[in-house]
Amino acid sequence: MTYLFIDQGPEGDRMWNFAVAVFLVELYGNSLLLTAVYGLVIAGSVLLLGAIIGDWVDKNPRLRVAQTSLIVQNSAVILCGILLMVVFQYKEQLTILYNGWLLTSCYILVITIANIANLASTAMSITIQRDWVVVVAGDDSSGLADMNATVRIIDQLTNILAPMLVGQIMAFGSHFVGCGFISGWNLFSMCLEYFLLWKVYRMTPALAIKAGQKETDDQEMKQLNVQRELENGEVPAEGSQLMNEAVIAKQDTEKNSSCCYQVTQPLHTLRSGWVAYYNQSIFLAGMALAFLYMTVLGFDCITTGYAYTQGLNGSVLSLLMGASAVSGIAGTVAFTWVRKKCGLIRTGFMAGIVQLSCLMLCVASVFAPGSPLDLSVSPLQAMISQLLGDSAALPEAPTMTSLATTAAQGMLNISSMETEEVPHIESYMSVSLLFAGVIAARIGLWSFDLTVTQLIQENVAEAERGVINGVQNSMNYLLDLLHFIMVILAPNPEAFGLLVILSVSFVAMGHMMYFRFAFKTLGSRLFLCCSPEQKTDRDPPSFPPAV
């Protein structure tokens, strides 16, 4: 029942995340401008609001958080799908009205609603995959590892199947039909997920008990008893009288500072969340995972655009993406086996070694035959020329942004893949080594990701599990933003080799942080592969004291 519920969420998310990028490219004349703005808004919102979302998850009952996140997320996607249907149907009329400002307003509204859906999806991911899964597994560490691995396999499979389904619908139908299908799917999925959510909650009584709620309820009952004694004219006990004085003083303080507190509360929550994250024993492990997001060695639009310049067409790229997903599933399966043999912390250490070893193939590709690396071409030349408006100084080589746009156009027109023209390449040695390293490294990457995920689940106090995971998401998005900024500063294919080396350097720094965490935890026992790890107690709540 739990896996069936978890399966519904990622499927709708993957469909929407794939489709909204295609829709925005199609709406803005096959340009990636709207897609770039959408990605920037998404990353910036999670970066700023991650801790606040996590704090909201911590302070509210589990069922209420899950239901609210589910309804808001799916409703936003449905509304966004309907709005896109209107834009696709009446785009010509909207372009004429008010000199095109009405169409621009529709673009802004689509991105805003899609951003709300992503924030709700973030809250849903934190509460289900970082909290509910831990409670359902109980104290069984092996069961928790198996559940995490199964959830990741489901995520990988939906990452393959959902875009294929939506892509076929849009290829044989239209974008209008695609929007309608996604809206209808999310309506059906919302009803089914809501039912499964309730069933899982009823089957697991422990979900109804949340850390901190019992103490709050007891405190409220004591305050109510004091008020009742005063109303009945009874003399309260000495302890109750002290309680009453404290309550009155607290109420006076809240009245004097209520307005200021309401204004500054989000800032206090944001600061408290980051301080709590820094004070965790798994801080270095979380930072290590975040550093892995600062890379161009993934199957995003940047790598796809670069592959296009190296003579790979859409058909080959789709096969490579499938191989990458299979490699990720293999890493997930390997995680469960290695964890049972060597322990959780050592699994992350070995996963890091595997990933870095495979990424050495990517470094070798920079200097292999067929590599476009040219240090004589300034990485900043194209950007500076565009800012200065000097069109004559622009290099003839395409930038990574134009490459990504070309690749996106190829993905939009599936039927033209057989006849699309690709650049002539003298040798495929470089690009072959690059993608061999990227695909093989997924085994270590996903094993490491699962290791850090379970470390956070097992070592963070329940009372702040949401806010810590919220800050972790913010860190991931921050490093992901830096990798896009890195591409903007060096957009030419001649500079892609430098980006590869810089990406591997960040991955290496991340695994160095994890090694420090692992050695600090296990000491020399880290190198004893089959020695059992000593389970440490979870950290107590690490929020700074209220001022």
Side-chain angles (χ1 to χ4, degrees), residues 224-254:
L224 289 175
N225 291 335
V226 171
Q227 294 177 0
R228 288 173 182 171
E229 291 176 356
L230 293 175
E231 291 175 356
N232 295 333
E234 300 177 2
V235 179
E238 184 177 355
S240 299
Q241 191 169 2
L242 292 175
M243 171 76 71
N244 186 38
E245 293 176 358
V247 171
I248 293 174
K250 183 178 179 181
Q251 290 176 349
D252 292 339
T253 304
E254 289 179 352

PDB file of all heavy atoms in Angstrom, residues 224-254:
ATOM      1  N   LEU A 224      -5.158  25.766  30.657  1.00  0.00           N
ATOM      2  CA  LEU A 224      -6.619  25.746  30.773  1.00  0.00           C
ATOM      3  C   LEU A 224      -7.064  25.460  32.193  1.00  0.00           C
ATOM      4  O   LEU A 224      -8.035  26.062  32.689  1.00  0.00           O
ATOM      5  CB  LEU A 224      -7.193  24.700  29.815  1.00  0.00           C
ATOM      6  CG  LEU A 224      -7.116  25.037  28.322  1.00  0.00           C
ATOM      7  CD1 LEU A 224      -7.600  23.850  27.500  1.00  0.00           C
ATOM      8  CD2 LEU A 224      -7.941  26.269  27.998  1.00  0.00           C
ATOM      9  N   ASN A 225      -6.383  24.588  32.910  1.00  0.00           N
ATOM     10  CA  ASN A 225      -6.735  24.287  34.296  1.00  0.00           C
ATOM     11  C   ASN A 225      -6.546  25.505  35.185  1.00  0.00           C
ATOM     12  O   ASN A 225      -7.365  25.781  36.081  1.00  0.00           O
ATOM     13  CB  ASN A 225      -5.882  23.122  34.811  1.00  0.00           C
ATOM     14  CG  ASN A 225      -6.252  21.809  34.142  1.00  0.00           C
ATOM     15  OD1 ASN A 225      -7.382  21.643  33.673  1.00  0.00           O
ATOM     16  ND2 ASN A 225      -5.305  20.878  34.087  1.00  0.00           N
ATOM     17  N   VAL A 226      -5.481  26.248  34.952  1.00  0.00           N
ATOM     18  CA  VAL A 226      -5.243  27.461  35.733  1.00  0.00           C
ATOM     19  C   VAL A 226      -6.347  28.479  35.495  1.00  0.00           C
ATOM     20  O   VAL A 226      -6.869  29.112  36.424  1.00  0.00           O
ATOM     21  CB  VAL A 226      -3.860  28.052  35.387  1.00  0.00           C
ATOM     22  CG1 VAL A 226      -3.681  29.425  36.023  1.00  0.00           C
ATOM     23  CG2 VAL A 226      -2.760  27.108  35.843  1.00  0.00           C
ATOM     24  N   GLN A 227      -6.741  28.657  34.239  1.00  0.00           N
ATOM     25  CA  GLN A 227      -7.799  29.614  33.920  1.00  0.00           C
ATOM     26  C   GLN A 227      -9.127  29.205  34.541  1.00  0.00           C
ATOM     27  O   GLN A 227      -9.886  30.037  35.033  1.00  0.00           O
ATOM     28  CB  GLN A 227      -7.930  29.747  32.400  1.00  0.00           C
ATOM     29  CG  GLN A 227      -6.702  30.383  31.744  1.00  0.00           C
ATOM     30  CD  GLN A 227      -6.823  30.437  30.230  1.00  0.00           C
ATOM     31  OE1 GLN A 227      -7.825  29.999  29.677  1.00  0.00           O
ATOM     32  NE2 GLN A 227      -5.799  30.969  29.582  1.00  0.00           N
ATOM     33  N   ARG A 228      -9.426  27.904  34.536  1.00  0.00           N
ATOM     34  CA  ARG A 228     -10.671  27.430  35.138  1.00  0.00           C
ATOM     35  C   ARG A 228     -10.684  27.667  36.643  1.00  0.00           C
ATOM     36  O   ARG A 228     -11.704  28.050  37.228  1.00  0.00           O
ATOM     37  CB  ARG A 228     -10.853  25.941  34.840  1.00  0.00           C
ATOM     38  CG  ARG A 228     -11.200  25.643  33.387  1.00  0.00           C
ATOM     39  CD  ARG A 228     -11.208  24.151  33.131  1.00  0.00           C
ATOM     40  NE  ARG A 228     -11.486  23.866  31.733  1.00  0.00           N
ATOM     41  CZ  ARG A 228     -11.383  22.661  31.186  1.00  0.00           C
ATOM     42  NH1 ARG A 228     -10.991  21.619  31.933  1.00  0.00           N
ATOM     43  NH2 ARG A 228     -11.656  22.484  29.914  1.00  0.00           N
ATOM     44  N   GLU A 229      -9.552  27.452  37.329  1.00  0.00           N
ATOM     45  CA  GLU A 229      -9.482  27.696  38.765  1.00  0.00           C
ATOM     46  C   GLU A 229      -9.708  29.160  39.090  1.00  0.00           C
ATOM     47  O   GLU A 229     -10.394  29.500  40.066  1.00  0.00           O
ATOM     48  CB  GLU A 229      -8.115  27.237  39.289  1.00  0.00           C
ATOM     49  CG  GLU A 229      -7.923  25.723  39.270  1.00  0.00           C
ATOM     50  CD  GLU A 229      -6.531  25.328  39.703  1.00  0.00           C
ATOM     51  OE1 GLU A 229      -5.711  26.235  39.942  1.00  0.00           O
ATOM     52  OE2 GLU A 229      -6.258  24.107  39.795  1.00  0.00           O
ATOM     53  N   LEU A 230      -9.146  30.043  38.260  1.00  0.00           N
ATOM     54  CA  LEU A 230      -9.345  31.472  38.495  1.00  0.00           C
ATOM     55  C   LEU A 230     -10.789  31.896  38.259  1.00  0.00           C
ATOM     56  O   LEU A 230     -11.346  32.721  38.985  1.00  0.00           O
ATOM     57  CB  LEU A 230      -8.408  32.280  37.592  1.00  0.00           C
ATOM     58  CG  LEU A 230      -6.896  32.158  37.901  1.00  0.00           C
ATOM     59  CD1 LEU A 230      -6.079  32.905  36.862  1.00  0.00           C
ATOM     60  CD2 LEU A 230      -6.598  32.701  39.301  1.00  0.00           C
ATOM     61  N   GLU A 231     -11.414  31.329  37.210  1.00  0.00           N
ATOM     62  CA  GLU A 231     -12.807  31.669  36.917  1.00  0.00           C
ATOM     63  C   GLU A 231     -13.754  31.186  38.014  1.00  0.00           C
ATOM     64  O   GLU A 231     -14.767  31.824  38.311  1.00  0.00           O
ATOM     65  CB  GLU A 231     -13.210  31.058  35.573  1.00  0.00           C
ATOM     66  CG  GLU A 231     -12.520  31.707  34.383  1.00  0.00           C
ATOM     67  CD  GLU A 231     -12.851  30.993  33.088  1.00  0.00           C
ATOM     68  OE1 GLU A 231     -13.558  29.966  33.166  1.00  0.00           O
ATOM     69  OE2 GLU A 231     -12.403  31.457  32.023  1.00  0.00           O
ATOM     70  N   ASN A 232     -13.447  30.051  38.648  1.00  0.00           N
ATOM     71  CA  ASN A 232     -14.305  29.504  39.711  1.00  0.00           C
ATOM     72  C   ASN A 232     -14.017  30.118  41.063  1.00  0.00           C
ATOM     73  O   ASN A 232     -14.650  29.751  42.065  1.00  0.00           O
ATOM     74  CB  ASN A 232     -14.122  27.983  39.799  1.00  0.00           C
ATOM     75  CG  ASN A 232     -14.596  27.289  38.547  1.00  0.00           C
ATOM     76  OD1 ASN A 232     -15.483  27.787  37.841  1.00  0.00           O
ATOM     77  ND2 ASN A 232     -14.000  26.123  38.249  1.00  0.00           N
ATOM     78  N   GLY A 233     -13.089  31.049  41.146  1.00  0.00           N
ATOM     79  CA  GLY A 233     -12.782  31.699  42.409  1.00  0.00           C
ATOM     80  C   GLY A 233     -11.916  30.879  43.326  1.00  0.00           C
ATOM     81  O   GLY A 233     -11.738  31.237  44.501  1.00  0.00           O
ATOM     82  N   GLU A 234     -11.363  29.787  42.836  1.00  0.00           N
ATOM     83  CA  GLU A 234     -10.521  28.934  43.658  1.00  0.00           C
ATOM     84  C   GLU A 234      -9.102  29.497  43.693  1.00  0.00           C
ATOM     85  O   GLU A 234      -8.662  30.160  42.771  1.00  0.00           O
ATOM     86  CB  GLU A 234     -10.499  27.505  43.109  1.00  0.00           C
ATOM     87  CG  GLU A 234     -11.877  26.858  43.070  1.00  0.00           C
ATOM     88  CD  GLU A 234     -11.813  25.472  42.455  1.00  0.00           C
ATOM     89  OE1 GLU A 234     -10.698  25.046  42.105  1.00  0.00           O
ATOM     90  OE2 GLU A 234     -12.883  24.844  42.328  1.00  0.00           O
ATOM     91  N   VAL A 235      -8.418  29.216  44.795  1.00  0.00           N
ATOM     92  CA  VAL A 235      -7.022  29.639  44.917  1.00  0.00           C
ATOM     93  C   VAL A 235      -6.145  28.563  44.306  1.00  0.00           C
ATOM     94  O   VAL A 235      -6.137  27.425  44.793  1.00  0.00           O
ATOM     95  CB  VAL A 235      -6.626  29.848  46.399  1.00  0.00           C
ATOM     96  CG1 VAL A 235      -5.159  30.271  46.490  1.00  0.00           C
ATOM     97  CG2 VAL A 235      -7.525  30.890  47.035  1.00  0.00           C
ATOM     98  N   PRO A 236      -5.461  28.852  43.261  1.00  0.00           N
ATOM     99  CA  PRO A 236      -4.649  27.817  42.614  1.00  0.00           C
ATOM    100  C   PRO A 236      -3.466  27.424  43.477  1.00  0.00           C
ATOM    101  O   PRO A 236      -3.026  28.177  44.358  1.00  0.00           O
ATOM    102  CB  PRO A 236      -4.194  28.503  41.322  1.00  0.00           C
ATOM    103  CG  PRO A 236      -4.231  29.955  41.624  1.00  0.00           C
ATOM    104  CD  PRO A 236      -5.360  30.155  42.596  1.00  0.00           C
ATOM    105  N   ALA A 237      -2.967  26.248  43.230  1.00  0.00           N
ATOM    106  CA  ALA A 237      -1.796  25.775  43.947  1.00  0.00           C
ATOM    107  C   ALA A 237      -0.587  26.630  43.601  1.00  0.00           C
ATOM    108  O   ALA A 237      -0.591  27.404  42.645  1.00  0.00           O
ATOM    109  CB  ALA A 237      -1.527  24.317  43.600  1.00  0.00           C
ATOM    110  N   GLU A 238       0.461  26.463  44.442  1.00  0.00           N
ATOM    111  CA  GLU A 238       1.643  27.296  44.250  1.00  0.00           C
ATOM    112  C   GLU A 238       2.238  27.110  42.861  1.00  0.00           C
ATOM    113  O   GLU A 238       2.585  28.065  42.180  1.00  0.00           O
ATOM    114  CB  GLU A 238       2.687  26.953  45.315  1.00  0.00           C
ATOM    115  CG  GLU A 238       3.924  27.851  45.237  1.00  0.00           C
ATOM    116  CD  GLU A 238       4.906  27.537  46.345  1.00  0.00           C
ATOM    117  OE1 GLU A 238       4.570  26.699  47.203  1.00  0.00           O
ATOM    118  OE2 GLU A 238       5.990  28.127  46.340  1.00  0.00           O
ATOM    119  N   GLY A 239       2.312  25.844  42.419  1.00  0.00           N
ATOM    120  CA  GLY A 239       2.855  25.573  41.089  1.00  0.00           C
ATOM    121  C   GLY A 239       1.975  26.164  40.008  1.00  0.00           C
ATOM    122  O   GLY A 239       2.447  26.730  39.038  1.00  0.00           O
ATOM    123  N   SER A 240       0.654  26.046  40.193  1.00  0.00           N
ATOM    124  CA  SER A 240      -0.274  26.603  39.205  1.00  0.00           C
ATOM    125  C   SER A 240      -0.202  28.116  39.176  1.00  0.00           C
ATOM    126  O   SER A 240      -0.355  28.744  38.133  1.00  0.00           O
ATOM    127  CB  SER A 240      -1.693  26.144  39.519  1.00  0.00           C
ATOM    128  OG  SER A 240      -1.777  24.739  39.458  1.00  0.00           O
ATOM    129  N   GLN A 241       0.024  28.694  40.361  1.00  0.00           N
ATOM    130  CA  GLN A 241       0.106  30.153  40.413  1.00  0.00           C
ATOM    131  C   GLN A 241       1.339  30.647  39.662  1.00  0.00           C
ATOM    132  O   GLN A 241       1.291  31.651  38.940  1.00  0.00           O
ATOM    133  CB  GLN A 241       0.157  30.608  41.873  1.00  0.00           C
ATOM    134  CG  GLN A 241      -0.024  32.123  42.046  1.00  0.00           C
ATOM    135  CD  GLN A 241      -0.232  32.488  43.498  1.00  0.00           C
ATOM    136  OE1 GLN A 241      -0.198  31.622  44.372  1.00  0.00           O
ATOM    137  NE2 GLN A 241      -0.461  33.752  43.763  1.00  0.00           N
ATOM    138  N   LEU A 242       2.448  29.948  39.847  1.00  0.00           N
ATOM    139  CA  LEU A 242       3.644  30.314  39.093  1.00  0.00           C
ATOM    140  C   LEU A 242       3.417  30.150  37.597  1.00  0.00           C
ATOM    141  O   LEU A 242       3.870  30.955  36.789  1.00  0.00           O
ATOM    142  CB  LEU A 242       4.823  29.444  39.540  1.00  0.00           C
ATOM    143  CG  LEU A 242       5.329  29.681  40.978  1.00  0.00           C
ATOM    144  CD1 LEU A 242       6.400  28.669  41.333  1.00  0.00           C
ATOM    145  CD2 LEU A 242       5.859  31.095  41.127  1.00  0.00           C
ATOM    146  N   MET A 243       2.684  29.063  37.236  1.00  0.00           N
ATOM    147  CA  MET A 243       2.345  28.841  35.831  1.00  0.00           C
ATOM    148  C   MET A 243       1.516  29.993  35.299  1.00  0.00           C
ATOM    149  O   MET A 243       1.720  30.478  34.188  1.00  0.00           O
ATOM    150  CB  MET A 243       1.588  27.527  35.683  1.00  0.00           C
ATOM    151  CG  MET A 243       0.993  27.292  34.307  1.00  0.00           C
ATOM    152  SD  MET A 243       2.191  26.805  33.085  1.00  0.00           S
ATOM    153  CE  MET A 243       2.557  25.159  33.649  1.00  0.00           C
ATOM    154  N   ASN A 244       0.539  30.458  36.111  1.00  0.00           N
ATOM    155  CA  ASN A 244      -0.339  31.542  35.686  1.00  0.00           C
ATOM    156  C   ASN A 244       0.440  32.826  35.478  1.00  0.00           C
ATOM    157  O   ASN A 244       0.224  33.562  34.517  1.00  0.00           O
ATOM    158  CB  ASN A 244      -1.435  31.747  36.734  1.00  0.00           C
ATOM    159  CG  ASN A 244      -2.475  32.770  36.280  1.00  0.00           C
ATOM    160  OD1 ASN A 244      -2.812  32.795  35.103  1.00  0.00           O
ATOM    161  ND2 ASN A 244      -2.944  33.593  37.199  1.00  0.00           N
ATOM    162  N   GLU A 245       1.381  33.091  36.384  1.00  0.00           N
ATOM    163  CA  GLU A 245       2.184  34.307  36.224  1.00  0.00           C
ATOM    164  C   GLU A 245       3.026  34.243  34.957  1.00  0.00           C
ATOM    165  O   GLU A 245       3.178  35.235  34.248  1.00  0.00           O
ATOM    166  CB  GLU A 245       3.094  34.467  37.455  1.00  0.00           C
ATOM    167  CG  GLU A 245       2.321  34.766  38.736  1.00  0.00           C
ATOM    168  CD  GLU A 245       3.239  34.809  39.949  1.00  0.00           C
ATOM    169  OE1 GLU A 245       4.451  34.559  39.761  1.00  0.00           O
ATOM    170  OE2 GLU A 245       2.740  35.091  41.043  1.00  0.00           O
ATOM    171  N   ALA A 246       3.552  33.060  34.682  1.00  0.00           N
ATOM    172  CA  ALA A 246       4.352  32.903  33.464  1.00  0.00           C
ATOM    173  C   ALA A 246       3.499  33.090  32.222  1.00  0.00           C
ATOM    174  O   ALA A 246       3.917  33.706  31.244  1.00  0.00           O
ATOM    175  CB  ALA A 246       5.012  31.522  33.455  1.00  0.00           C
ATOM    176  N   VAL A 247       2.265  32.557  32.262  1.00  0.00           N
ATOM    177  CA  VAL A 247       1.364  32.682  31.118  1.00  0.00           C
ATOM    178  C   VAL A 247       0.999  34.137  30.878  1.00  0.00           C
ATOM    179  O   VAL A 247       0.986  34.629  29.746  1.00  0.00           O
ATOM    180  CB  VAL A 247       0.095  31.830  31.333  1.00  0.00           C
ATOM    181  CG1 VAL A 247      -0.941  32.133  30.264  1.00  0.00           C
ATOM    182  CG2 VAL A 247       0.446  30.351  31.325  1.00  0.00           C
ATOM    183  N   ILE A 248       0.701  34.870  31.969  1.00  0.00           N
ATOM    184  CA  ILE A 248       0.329  36.282  31.832  1.00  0.00           C
ATOM    185  C   ILE A 248       1.495  37.090  31.271  1.00  0.00           C
ATOM    186  O   ILE A 248       1.336  37.932  30.389  1.00  0.00           O
ATOM    187  CB  ILE A 248      -0.113  36.841  33.197  1.00  0.00           C
ATOM    188  CG1 ILE A 248      -1.424  36.169  33.633  1.00  0.00           C
ATOM    189  CG2 ILE A 248      -0.301  38.350  33.122  1.00  0.00           C
ATOM    190  CD1 ILE A 248      -1.871  36.548  35.024  1.00  0.00           C
ATOM    191  N   ALA A 249       2.696  36.817  31.814  1.00  0.00           N
ATOM    192  CA  ALA A 249       3.876  37.536  31.315  1.00  0.00           C
ATOM    193  C   ALA A 249       4.109  37.241  29.834  1.00  0.00           C
ATOM    194  O   ALA A 249       4.447  38.123  29.049  1.00  0.00           O
ATOM    195  CB  ALA A 249       5.100  37.143  32.137  1.00  0.00           C
ATOM    196  N   LYS A 250       3.906  35.968  29.450  1.00  0.00           N
ATOM    197  CA  LYS A 250       4.103  35.587  28.054  1.00  0.00           C
ATOM    198  C   LYS A 250       3.080  36.271  27.156  1.00  0.00           C
ATOM    199  O   LYS A 250       3.400  36.736  26.066  1.00  0.00           O
ATOM    200  CB  LYS A 250       3.997  34.069  27.922  1.00  0.00           C
ATOM    201  CG  LYS A 250       4.258  33.569  26.506  1.00  0.00           C
ATOM    202  CD  LYS A 250       4.183  32.055  26.457  1.00  0.00           C
ATOM    203  CE  LYS A 250       4.430  31.553  25.044  1.00  0.00           C
ATOM    204  NZ  LYS A 250       4.343  30.080  24.970  1.00  0.00           N
ATOM    205  N   GLN A 251       1.826  36.350  27.635  1.00  0.00           N
ATOM    206  CA  GLN A 251       0.795  36.996  26.828  1.00  0.00           C
ATOM    207  C   GLN A 251       1.078  38.479  26.649  1.00  0.00           C
ATOM    208  O   GLN A 251       0.877  39.042  25.567  1.00  0.00           O
ATOM    209  CB  GLN A 251      -0.562  36.797  27.486  1.00  0.00           C
ATOM    210  CG  GLN A 251      -1.062  35.366  27.428  1.00  0.00           C
ATOM    211  CD  GLN A 251      -2.366  35.180  28.169  1.00  0.00           C
ATOM    212  OE1 GLN A 251      -2.814  36.078  28.900  1.00  0.00           O
ATOM    213  NE2 GLN A 251      -2.977  34.011  28.001  1.00  0.00           N
ATOM    214  N   ASP A 252       1.573  39.148  27.726  1.00  0.00           N
ATOM    215  CA  ASP A 252       1.910  40.563  27.607  1.00  0.00           C
ATOM    216  C   ASP A 252       3.043  40.786  26.610  1.00  0.00           C
ATOM    217  O   ASP A 252       3.015  41.720  25.810  1.00  0.00           O
ATOM    218  CB  ASP A 252       2.320  41.119  28.986  1.00  0.00           C
ATOM    219  CG  ASP A 252       1.134  41.160  29.951  1.00  0.00           C
ATOM    220  OD1 ASP A 252      -0.023  41.149  29.459  1.00  0.00           O
ATOM    221  OD2 ASP A 252       1.363  41.183  31.175  1.00  0.00           O
ATOM    222  N   THR A 253       4.026  39.890  26.664  1.00  0.00           N
ATOM    223  CA  THR A 253       5.143  40.014  25.725  1.00  0.00           C
ATOM    224  C   THR A 253       4.682  39.829  24.291  1.00  0.00           C
ATOM    225  O   THR A 253       5.096  40.546  23.387  1.00  0.00           O
ATOM    226  CB  THR A 253       6.225  38.975  26.063  1.00  0.00           C
ATOM    227  OG1 THR A 253       6.628  39.138  27.419  1.00  0.00           O
ATOM    228  CG2 THR A 253       7.426  39.122  25.145  1.00  0.00           C
ATOM    229  N   GLU A 254       3.779  38.833  24.086  1.00  0.00           N
ATOM    230  CA  GLU A 254       3.282  38.581  22.737  1.00  0.00           C
ATOM    231  C   GLU A 254       2.456  39.753  22.227  1.00  0.00           C
ATOM    232  O   GLU A 254       2.494  40.083  21.052  1.00  0.00           O
ATOM    233  CB  GLU A 254       2.453  37.300  22.731  1.00  0.00           C
ATOM    234  CG  GLU A 254       3.301  36.041  22.902  1.00  0.00           C
ATOM    235  CD  GLU A 254       2.454  34.788  22.912  1.00  0.00           C
ATOM    236  OE1 GLU A 254       1.210  34.929  22.947  1.00  0.00           O
ATOM    237  OE2 GLU A 254       3.024  33.679  22.894  1.00  0.00           O
TER     238      GLU A 254
END
